[in-house]
Amino acid sequence: MNTSENPPADHAAGQASAARRCPCGGGDVYGACCGRLHGRFAADGTLAAPTAEALMRSRYSAFALAATGDLVQAEEYLLATWAPETRPAQLALDGPADESGDDVRWLRLDVESTSGGGPFDDAGTVTFTAHFRTPAGRHTQHETSRFVRRQGTWLYRDGEVSAAPR
C-alpha cells in the first residue's frame, strides 16, 4: 500500500528512494538533493548542477547508488558529466556484491574545500574525502577534482586522487 508517509521505492527497477537521506551527505533527502539532478538526466538528458560542488556531490551519489544497484543510469550519468577531452570510453562501476564477495559500500563524503565553481564561474575545484568499506576493511579516497563549465553546464574534468586504507 502506498501512503504519503511511506513513498514507494522501486528497487526492482533500480530506482533510489527519494525519501531517504542523500548519499552525498548534504543533509537533505535524495529526492530534493542529488535525486533532482539524476532524475532530470534520466527524464531528458539534461545536466542541471548549478555549481561544481553540486555536480561533484551528484557524481559521488551516482557511484554510491550504483554500488547498491539503486541507480540504473549511474554509468550514463557519470559519463555525461565528464568533459569529453578526458572522458573514458566506458566505466567499470562497483555493483552489489556478487558470488565472489566483491563489495564496495560507500559510507560518507566529506567536502573539505571548494575554489571557484560557482554559478558565475567557468572553472572550479572541489577537494573531498570519500569513505568506503570493502571486504578488506575501511578505506578513504582523497581527491582534488577540477571542473569546467561549458555553455552553462558543469562537467568533471579530472582530478588528483590518493587512496589509503583507514
Side-chain angles (χ1 to χ4, degrees), residues 8 10 18 41-42 71 76 93-94 100 104 112 117 120 149 156 158:
D10 187 8
F41 175 75
L71 184 62
E76 293 87 353
L93 297 180
D94 301 313
S100 70
V104 174
E112 295 155 11
F120 303 108
R149 190 168 65 125
Y156 169 77
D158 58 18

PDB file of all heavy atoms in Angstrom, residues 8 10 18 41-42 71 76 93-94 100 104 112 117 120 149 156 158:
ATOM      1  N   PRO A   8       6.860   4.772  -2.246  1.00  0.00           N
ATOM      2  CA  PRO A   8       7.409   3.527  -2.773  1.00  0.00           C
ATOM      3  C   PRO A   8       8.850   3.708  -3.216  1.00  0.00           C
ATOM      4  O   PRO A   8       9.246   4.765  -3.679  1.00  0.00           O
ATOM      5  CB  PRO A   8       6.505   3.224  -3.974  1.00  0.00           C
ATOM      6  CG  PRO A   8       6.023   4.561  -4.420  1.00  0.00           C
ATOM      7  CD  PRO A   8       5.889   5.378  -3.150  1.00  0.00           C
ATOM      8  N   ASP A  10      11.165   1.856  -5.845  1.00  0.00           N
ATOM      9  CA  ASP A  10      11.098   0.877  -6.908  1.00  0.00           C
ATOM     10  C   ASP A  10      12.469   0.241  -7.102  1.00  0.00           C
ATOM     11  O   ASP A  10      13.125   0.436  -8.104  1.00  0.00           O
ATOM     12  CB  ASP A  10      10.606   1.545  -8.187  1.00  0.00           C
ATOM     13  CG  ASP A  10      10.352   0.538  -9.296  1.00  0.00           C
ATOM     14  OD1 ASP A  10      10.414  -0.682  -9.038  1.00  0.00           O
ATOM     15  OD2 ASP A  10      10.110   0.979 -10.416  1.00  0.00           O
ATOM     16  N   ALA A  18      13.410   8.370  -3.089  1.00  0.00           N
ATOM     17  CA  ALA A  18      13.513   9.826  -2.979  1.00  0.00           C
ATOM     18  C   ALA A  18      13.405  10.305  -1.543  1.00  0.00           C
ATOM     19  O   ALA A  18      13.830  11.411  -1.228  1.00  0.00           O
ATOM     20  CB  ALA A  18      12.429  10.485  -3.833  1.00  0.00           C
ATOM     21  N   PHE A  41      18.280  14.138 -15.551  1.00  0.00           N
ATOM     22  CA  PHE A  41      19.088  13.492 -16.586  1.00  0.00           C
ATOM     23  C   PHE A  41      18.358  12.271 -17.148  1.00  0.00           C
ATOM     24  O   PHE A  41      18.305  12.072 -18.359  1.00  0.00           O
ATOM     25  CB  PHE A  41      20.462  13.092 -16.037  1.00  0.00           C
ATOM     26  CG  PHE A  41      21.285  12.328 -17.026  1.00  0.00           C
ATOM     27  CD1 PHE A  41      21.890  12.982 -18.082  1.00  0.00           C
ATOM     28  CD2 PHE A  41      21.410  10.951 -16.923  1.00  0.00           C
ATOM     29  CE1 PHE A  41      22.638  12.275 -19.024  1.00  0.00           C
ATOM     30  CE2 PHE A  41      22.148  10.239 -17.851  1.00  0.00           C
ATOM     31  CZ  PHE A  41      22.762  10.892 -18.905  1.00  0.00           C
ATOM     32  N   ALA A  42      17.785  11.446 -16.265  1.00  0.00           N
ATOM     33  CA  ALA A  42      17.075  10.247 -16.716  1.00  0.00           C
ATOM     34  C   ALA A  42      15.870  10.600 -17.576  1.00  0.00           C
ATOM     35  O   ALA A  42      15.557   9.899 -18.538  1.00  0.00           O
ATOM     36  CB  ALA A  42      16.639   9.410 -15.513  1.00  0.00           C
ATOM     37  N   LEU A  71      20.660   2.882  -8.797  1.00  0.00           N
ATOM     38  CA  LEU A  71      20.629   3.907  -9.848  1.00  0.00           C
ATOM     39  C   LEU A  71      21.100   3.261 -11.142  1.00  0.00           C
ATOM     40  O   LEU A  71      22.296   3.144 -11.401  1.00  0.00           O
ATOM     41  CB  LEU A  71      21.516   5.102  -9.484  1.00  0.00           C
ATOM     42  CG  LEU A  71      21.482   6.274 -10.470  1.00  0.00           C
ATOM     43  CD1 LEU A  71      20.079   6.885 -10.561  1.00  0.00           C
ATOM     44  CD2 LEU A  71      22.482   7.349 -10.080  1.00  0.00           C
ATOM     45  N   GLU A  76      25.760   6.067 -17.269  1.00  0.00           N
ATOM     46  CA  GLU A  76      25.421   7.069 -18.274  1.00  0.00           C
ATOM     47  C   GLU A  76      25.552   8.481 -17.702  1.00  0.00           C
ATOM     48  O   GLU A  76      26.061   9.383 -18.357  1.00  0.00           O
ATOM     49  CB  GLU A  76      24.005   6.849 -18.811  1.00  0.00           C
ATOM     50  CG  GLU A  76      23.840   5.572 -19.609  1.00  0.00           C
ATOM     51  CD  GLU A  76      23.500   4.347 -18.754  1.00  0.00           C
ATOM     52  OE1 GLU A  76      23.520   4.449 -17.503  1.00  0.00           O
ATOM     53  OE2 GLU A  76      23.247   3.285 -19.331  1.00  0.00           O
ATOM     54  N   LEU A  93      31.817   0.225 -12.972  1.00  0.00           N
ATOM     55  CA  LEU A  93      31.327   0.640 -11.662  1.00  0.00           C
ATOM     56  C   LEU A  93      31.181  -0.543 -10.729  1.00  0.00           C
ATOM     57  O   LEU A  93      30.882  -1.662 -11.155  1.00  0.00           O
ATOM     58  CB  LEU A  93      29.972   1.341 -11.805  1.00  0.00           C
ATOM     59  CG  LEU A  93      29.965   2.624 -12.613  1.00  0.00           C
ATOM     60  CD1 LEU A  93      28.559   3.198 -12.677  1.00  0.00           C
ATOM     61  CD2 LEU A  93      30.924   3.642 -12.027  1.00  0.00           C
ATOM     62  N   ASP A  94      31.385  -0.270  -9.440  1.00  0.00           N
ATOM     63  CA  ASP A  94      31.133  -1.274  -8.416  1.00  0.00           C
ATOM     64  C   ASP A  94      29.634  -1.493  -8.336  1.00  0.00           C
ATOM     65  O   ASP A  94      28.867  -0.537  -8.272  1.00  0.00           O
ATOM     66  CB  ASP A  94      31.635  -0.796  -7.054  1.00  0.00           C
ATOM     67  CG  ASP A  94      33.123  -0.482  -7.068  1.00  0.00           C
ATOM     68  OD1 ASP A  94      33.882  -1.317  -7.589  1.00  0.00           O
ATOM     69  OD2 ASP A  94      33.512   0.585  -6.568  1.00  0.00           O
ATOM     70  N   SER A 100      31.554 -13.642  -5.771  1.00  0.00           N
ATOM     71  CA  SER A 100      32.949 -13.534  -5.353  1.00  0.00           C
ATOM     72  C   SER A 100      33.093 -12.786  -4.035  1.00  0.00           C
ATOM     73  O   SER A 100      34.150 -12.802  -3.427  1.00  0.00           O
ATOM     74  CB  SER A 100      33.766 -12.815  -6.434  1.00  0.00           C
ATOM     75  OG  SER A 100      33.384 -11.443  -6.482  1.00  0.00           O
ATOM     76  N   VAL A 104      31.718  -2.994  -2.552  1.00  0.00           N
ATOM     77  CA  VAL A 104      32.145  -1.690  -2.081  1.00  0.00           C
ATOM     78  C   VAL A 104      30.923  -1.012  -1.501  1.00  0.00           C
ATOM     79  O   VAL A 104      29.879  -0.958  -2.144  1.00  0.00           O
ATOM     80  CB  VAL A 104      32.729  -0.825  -3.221  1.00  0.00           C
ATOM     81  CG1 VAL A 104      33.027   0.581  -2.739  1.00  0.00           C
ATOM     82  CG2 VAL A 104      33.984  -1.464  -3.781  1.00  0.00           C
ATOM     83  N   GLU A 112      35.938  19.096   1.753  1.00  0.00           N
ATOM     84  CA  GLU A 112      36.901  19.834   2.562  1.00  0.00           C
ATOM     85  C   GLU A 112      37.092  21.270   2.114  1.00  0.00           C
ATOM     86  O   GLU A 112      37.281  22.152   2.937  1.00  0.00           O
ATOM     87  CB  GLU A 112      38.217  19.073   2.589  1.00  0.00           C
ATOM     88  CG  GLU A 112      38.051  17.742   3.308  1.00  0.00           C
ATOM     89  CD  GLU A 112      39.047  16.685   2.896  1.00  0.00           C
ATOM     90  OE1 GLU A 112      40.029  17.015   2.194  1.00  0.00           O
ATOM     91  OE2 GLU A 112      38.842  15.523   3.265  1.00  0.00           O
ATOM     92  N   GLY A 117      33.935  27.572  -9.036  1.00  0.00           N
ATOM     93  CA  GLY A 117      32.874  26.595  -9.213  1.00  0.00           C
ATOM     94  C   GLY A 117      31.473  27.105  -8.936  1.00  0.00           C
ATOM     95  O   GLY A 117      30.541  26.306  -8.850  1.00  0.00           O
ATOM     96  N   PHE A 120      28.591  31.690 -11.504  1.00  0.00           N
ATOM     97  CA  PHE A 120      29.110  32.661 -12.477  1.00  0.00           C
ATOM     98  C   PHE A 120      30.557  32.379 -12.869  1.00  0.00           C
ATOM     99  O   PHE A 120      31.175  33.170 -13.562  1.00  0.00           O
ATOM    100  CB  PHE A 120      28.967  34.084 -11.929  1.00  0.00           C
ATOM    101  CG  PHE A 120      27.536  34.412 -11.579  1.00  0.00           C
ATOM    102  CD1 PHE A 120      27.145  34.512 -10.261  1.00  0.00           C
ATOM    103  CD2 PHE A 120      26.581  34.562 -12.570  1.00  0.00           C
ATOM    104  CE1 PHE A 120      25.824  34.792  -9.925  1.00  0.00           C
ATOM    105  CE2 PHE A 120      25.258  34.831 -12.252  1.00  0.00           C
ATOM    106  CZ  PHE A 120      24.874  34.947 -10.925  1.00  0.00           C
ATOM    107  N   ARG A 149      32.954  24.696 -16.716  1.00  0.00           N
ATOM    108  CA  ARG A 149      31.568  24.970 -17.108  1.00  0.00           C
ATOM    109  C   ARG A 149      31.582  25.383 -18.566  1.00  0.00           C
ATOM    110  O   ARG A 149      32.265  26.334 -18.955  1.00  0.00           O
ATOM    111  CB  ARG A 149      30.950  26.067 -16.252  1.00  0.00           C
ATOM    112  CG  ARG A 149      29.448  26.190 -16.486  1.00  0.00           C
ATOM    113  CD  ARG A 149      28.794  27.048 -15.446  1.00  0.00           C
ATOM    114  NE  ARG A 149      29.296  28.394 -15.558  1.00  0.00           N
ATOM    115  CZ  ARG A 149      28.548  29.468 -15.713  1.00  0.00           C
ATOM    116  NH1 ARG A 149      27.244  29.365 -15.716  1.00  0.00           N
ATOM    117  NH2 ARG A 149      29.083  30.647 -15.819  1.00  0.00           N
ATOM    118  N   TYR A 156      32.884  17.431 -14.959  1.00  0.00           N
ATOM    119  CA  TYR A 156      34.096  16.970 -14.281  1.00  0.00           C
ATOM    120  C   TYR A 156      35.199  16.897 -15.320  1.00  0.00           C
ATOM    121  O   TYR A 156      35.015  16.303 -16.380  1.00  0.00           O
ATOM    122  CB  TYR A 156      33.841  15.592 -13.667  1.00  0.00           C
ATOM    123  CG  TYR A 156      35.077  14.902 -13.164  1.00  0.00           C
ATOM    124  CD1 TYR A 156      35.658  15.269 -11.959  1.00  0.00           C
ATOM    125  CD2 TYR A 156      35.669  13.881 -13.900  1.00  0.00           C
ATOM    126  CE1 TYR A 156      36.800  14.624 -11.484  1.00  0.00           C
ATOM    127  CE2 TYR A 156      36.802  13.235 -13.442  1.00  0.00           C
ATOM    128  CZ  TYR A 156      37.365  13.609 -12.230  1.00  0.00           C
ATOM    129  OH  TYR A 156      38.494  12.980 -11.776  1.00  0.00           O
ATOM    130  N   ASP A 158      38.996  16.478 -14.428  1.00  0.00           N
ATOM    131  CA  ASP A 158      39.946  15.475 -13.956  1.00  0.00           C
ATOM    132  C   ASP A 158      40.212  15.719 -12.476  1.00  0.00           C
ATOM    133  O   ASP A 158      39.639  16.643 -11.886  1.00  0.00           O
ATOM    134  CB  ASP A 158      41.255  15.511 -14.759  1.00  0.00           C
ATOM    135  CG  ASP A 158      41.961  16.862 -14.729  1.00  0.00           C
ATOM    136  OD1 ASP A 158      41.674  17.694 -13.839  1.00  0.00           O
ATOM    137  OD2 ASP A 158      42.819  17.103 -15.595  1.00  0.00           O
TER     138      ASP A 158
END
